[in-house]
Amino acid sequence: MVNITRRATLLGSAALAASSTLPALPAFGAPYVRSDVATPEGQRMLAIYAQGVKLMKQRPVTDPLSWNFQWFIHASPRGKAKEISDAFGSTQSPARQLAEAAWDTCQAHGGRPVEFFLPWHRLYVLCLESIIRTVTKQPGFALPYWNYTDPRYYAIPVQFQNAYRNDALFGTLFQQNRNVNDPKNGYADVNAGAPINKYFPGSRNFLNLNNMNVPYYGNNRTGFNAELNSQLHGSVHVYVGDQTNMGNVPTAAEDPIFWLHHCNIDRILAGWNAAGGVTPSWPGKTFTFAGPQGQSVTLAIDNYRTNSQLPYSYDVLPVPPNGPFGAQAVASAEASTATAKVQNVALLQTSQPTPNATAPVTLGAQAQKVELQPTTPQNTLSNTLKTQKSLRAAAPQRLLLVLHGLHAKIHPGITYQVYLNLPEGAKPEASDANYVGIVTFFDAVDMPGHADHGGVDKVFDITDLAAKLEAEGKNPEKATVSLVPTGTPAQGSDPVITGGIELRSE
Ligand SMILES: [Cu+2]
C-alpha cells in the first residue's frame, strides 16, 4: 500500500530539487518488517547490509549514495564549509546542492532543537535503508536493529567485532577505534565482544528502557524524546566508541554500528507510540536527505508520525517497563506539558550569586554533592512534594531535575552518575534507591564549524523517584544532588554545568 501523500512529497521534492534526468522515484516500497539482528531474518539482512556498506564505501564522497556522503549528513567532521570545498572544489552540481542542503543537519546536536531528535533520525535511517536497497539491488532489504537492552545482546553483534575484521563480507563493519578495556574510566573492550555496560551494574546499567516510562513527548529539554536522547541513546554512543568514533557527534555516523543503534532507537519510539505515547504534530516541518537514487528528497515529519503511517514495522516492539500508559495518564501528561508554560517554577536551585543566575557547577575527577536552596522559604523539598501532590490532583505537574547548560571544551571521555539525596556516607554504588540517571557528553561538546552553543540542558523527570523517597521517609530537609564521575575527565575538557542545577515543577 502506497501512501499517496508520501509519494506526492517525494515526487514533488524531486521535481524541485533534482535534475530532470533522474529516473522516476520509487516510494519506500511495500510494507516491510525490520528484524532483531540476532534472529535468522536479521542475520540475513545483516549480510545484505554489509554488502551495501562495502559498495557505498567504494563510491566517492561527491556521490550521494556513498558512505561518507551519508555520514556527513549527520555531521561534517571538520565543519560543513571545509568538507564541501574539499569534496567539490568549485564544481557546481546537484550533488553539491544536496550537500549544501543536507550535510551537518543532525537534529539535537550542535545546539539544534532537541525536539526533532526522534523524527529526524527516523527519516535519516529510512533513507539509508533505501540506499542500501539501491546499491545492493535488494528491494526487499530491511535494516536490522541491535537490541542492546536485552541482556543477551549487551555486546555489539559479532560481525562487527575483531573476530570478523578480515572477513571478506563482514570485515567492512569493523571499526578499529571503538573503546578498549579501561576499567578505571568504565570502558569495556568493545571489539573483543565485551558487554558495553560491563562496569555498570545494578541501577547504573544504562542499557535499560526506563526512558520509555516518561508518558509525554516533551519539548526542547524535557520528556521522553529528550531523556531518551541524552540517556540511553547517548550512553550507547559513548560506551561503544571514543571521541574519534561513536562517542562524538562529528564522527559517530562513520561507524556501521551507528545505523543498527538508530534503528533500535526508532523501534523504541514505535514501541512508545504503541504503548499510548503521542508524538506531537509539526505541520509543514520538513528535512532534506539523499533519497534511494541519490536525489534530493524533502520529507515532512508529520507523514511519519504514527506507526500506521510508516512503510515498515518491527518484528517485536518494546514496552515501557512500568507498562503501557492508560489513556488518562497520557491525557494528563499532555495537559502537563501544555500548562508547563504558565506553571513552570524553579523550586530549589544551586545558590544565586546574582539575581536570576545560578552558580555554575564545575565537574571534576571527584564525586561531589551539591546542596539545593529553596527559592522561597516554603520551597523545601518535602513541602514541594506535598504541594506537588495536591497540585497534581488539580493540574498535573511533573518534578524535574534540570542541569542547565552542560558543556565541555573537548570530550571528557567519562560520564557522571546522578543521585538524589544520597544518605551521608553512603556508597553511591550501593544506593540504587537514590539513582537518578546518567550524564553523557555526547552532544555537549562544541562541534567544528558551529558556534559555541553554551551547552545543553539535561533534564530528568524525577516525579516518581522523589515521591517514592518521600513515601519511605528518605527525603532529608535539604535536597542534594550528587554527581559521581566514572573516571578522570580528559585534560582540557573542563566539564561544567554552566547554569547550575534546579529542581523545577513543570
Ligand atoms: Cu545517535
Side-chain angles (χ1 to χ4, degrees):
M1 167 199 67
V2 171
N3 178 321
I4 302 300
T5 323
R6 184 178 308 127
R7 168 171 273 174
T9 308
L10 277 166
L11 290 171
S13 61
L16 280 175
S19 79
S20 55
T21 55
L22 283 170
L25 282 174
F28 287 111
Y32 56 96
V33 179
R34 291 178 179 168
S35 300
D36 185 330
V37 71
T39 63
E41 180 64 4
Q43 289 285 297
R44 203 169 72 77
M45 291 299 162
L46 186 67
I48 300 173
Y49 177 65
Q51 192 198 349
V53 172
K54 197 171 178 180
L55 291 167
M56 288 178 73
K57 284 182 177 176
Q58 288 164 6
R59 293 172 179 249
V61 64
T62 48
D63 180 344
L65 300 180
S66 72
W67 190 251
N68 284 3
F69 196 104
Q70 284 301 302
W71 162 16
F72 293 178
I73 288 176
H74 189 254
S76 310
R78 293 169 301 158
K80 181 172 174 174
K82 178 157 176 49
E83 295 293 359
I84 288 182
S85 87
D86 283 3
F88 295 96
S90 55
T91 318
Q92 298 299 324
S93 66
R96 187 202 181 106
Q97 278 177 4
L98 179 53
E100 300 274 6
W103 281 10
D104 204 10
T105 57
C106 167
Q107 294 298 303
H109 310 323
R112 299 196 195 95
V114 174
E115 61 188 348
F116 299 126
F117 166 66
L118 288 169
W120 187 89
H121 283 85
R122 164 165 284 178
L123 299 176
Y124 186 39
V125 167
L126 185 63
C127 287
L128 178 279
E129 187 176 53
S130 75
I131 289 172
I132 297 278
R133 290 174 164 202
T134 302
V135 298
T136 59
K137 303 190 176 66
Q138 295 275 5
F141 172 73
L143 191 66
Y145 59 88
W146 172 23
N147 186 12
Y148 38 67
T149 59
D150 183 319
R152 291 171 295 174
Y153 311 127
Y154 286 163
I156 58 171
V158 68
Q159 291 89 346
F160 291 77
Q161 301 172 15
N162 285 331
Y164 280 80
R165 66 182 300 177
N166 296 318
D167 186 88
L169 176 60
F170 293 110
T172 192
L173 304 179
F174 182 77
Q175 193 81 25
Q176 177 76 54
N177 52 358
R178 297 190 187 118
N179 292 331
V180 295
N181 191 46
D182 177 6
K184 249 181 40 243
N185 289 312
Y187 293 124
D189 196 340
V190 174
N191 279 330
I196 64 169
N197 57 352
K198 183 172 175 183
Y199 300 109
F200 294 83
S203 61
R204 286 171 298 145
N205 174 16
F206 52 80
L207 294 178
N208 66 66
L209 292 168
N210 295 345
N211 299 141
M212 287 185 81
N213 287 331
V214 179
Y216 54 104
Y217 186 88
N219 56 30
N220 256 327
R221 309 145 53 235
T222 66
F224 164 68
N225 169 73
E227 293 208 31
L228 182 66
N229 173 39
S230 73
Q231 295 170 48
L232 178 60
H233 159 256
S235 303
V236 171
H237 272 285
V238 300
Y239 286 105
V240 167
D242 64 9
Q243 56 268 47
T244 69
N245 173 244
M246 276 281 279
N248 205 7
V249 174
T251 48
E254 181 188 19
D255 191 328
I257 195 66
F258 174 96
W259 301 91
L260 277 73
H261 172 26
H262 270 281
C263 191
N264 195 44
I265 290 293
D266 187 71
R267 185 179 72 105
I268 291 169
L269 168 60
W272 185 79
N273 287 144
V278 179
T279 305
S281 163
W282 284 280
K285 182 68 191 171
T286 61
F287 291 107
T288 297
F289 299 90
Q293 310 302 328
Q295 76 282 36
S296 169
V297 290
T298 296
L299 304 174
I301 58 179
D302 268 7
N303 288 343
Y304 303 87
R305 193 172 72 85
T306 63
N307 289 345
S308 61
Q309 290 173 299
L310 301 176
Y312 58 84
S313 57
Y314 289 94
D315 57 351
V316 179
L317 286 179
V319 285
N322 292 349
F325 313 116
Q328 221 182 351
V330 173
S332 94
E334 294 293 322
S336 161
T337 53
T339 52
K341 289 180 187 74
V342 282
Q343 303 206 3
N344 176 340
V345 223
L347 299 164
L348 300 125
Q349 56 193 192
T350 38
S351 60
Q352 291 183 284
T354 55
N356 303 320
T358 44
V361 177
T362 307
L363 300 169
Q366 303 302 321
Q368 58 173 313
K369 204 173 201 179
V370 179
E371 199 171 282
L372 301 185
Q373 310 297 334
T375 53
T376 72
Q378 289 76 41
N379 286 347
T380 61
L381 184 58
S382 64
N383 271 350
T384 292
L385 289 166
K386 281 187 200 102
T387 332
Q388 188 84 5
K389 229 180 257 167
S390 57
L391 269 177
R392 279 171 91 185
Q397 293 273 288
R398 310 293 301 187
L399 195 60
L400 306 178
L401 181 68
V402 183
L403 315 186
H404 280 291
L406 181 80
H407 183 262
K409 287 183 186 142
I410 56 166
H411 205 290
I414 58 162
T415 59
Y416 288 82
Q417 306 291 328
V418 185
Y419 296 85
L420 179 70
N421 294 338
L422 208 55
E424 213 52 60
K427 279 214 171 74
E429 310 84 82
S431 303
D432 283 0
N434 302 80
Y435 185 70
V436 172
I438 188 168
V439 173
T440 84
F441 290 83
F442 179 63
D443 54 358
V445 180
D446 292 333
M447 284 162 55
H450 288 245
D452 179 344
H453 55 67
V456 290
D457 285 359
K458 297 282 171 179
V459 180
F460 303 89
D461 188 320
I462 57 164
T463 313
D464 296 337
L465 173 70
K468 199 180 109 242
L469 291 176
E470 184 70 3
E472 292 165 0
K474 286 182 184 156
N475 275 328
E477 256 326 280
K478 285 186 174 148
T480 60
V481 175
S482 297
L483 296 145
V484 183
T486 57
T488 305
Q491 206 161 35
S493 59
D494 300 343
V496 62
I497 303 168
T498 48
I501 303 175
E502 268 181 1
L503 223 146
R504 300 181 71 85
S505 171
E506 292 196 358

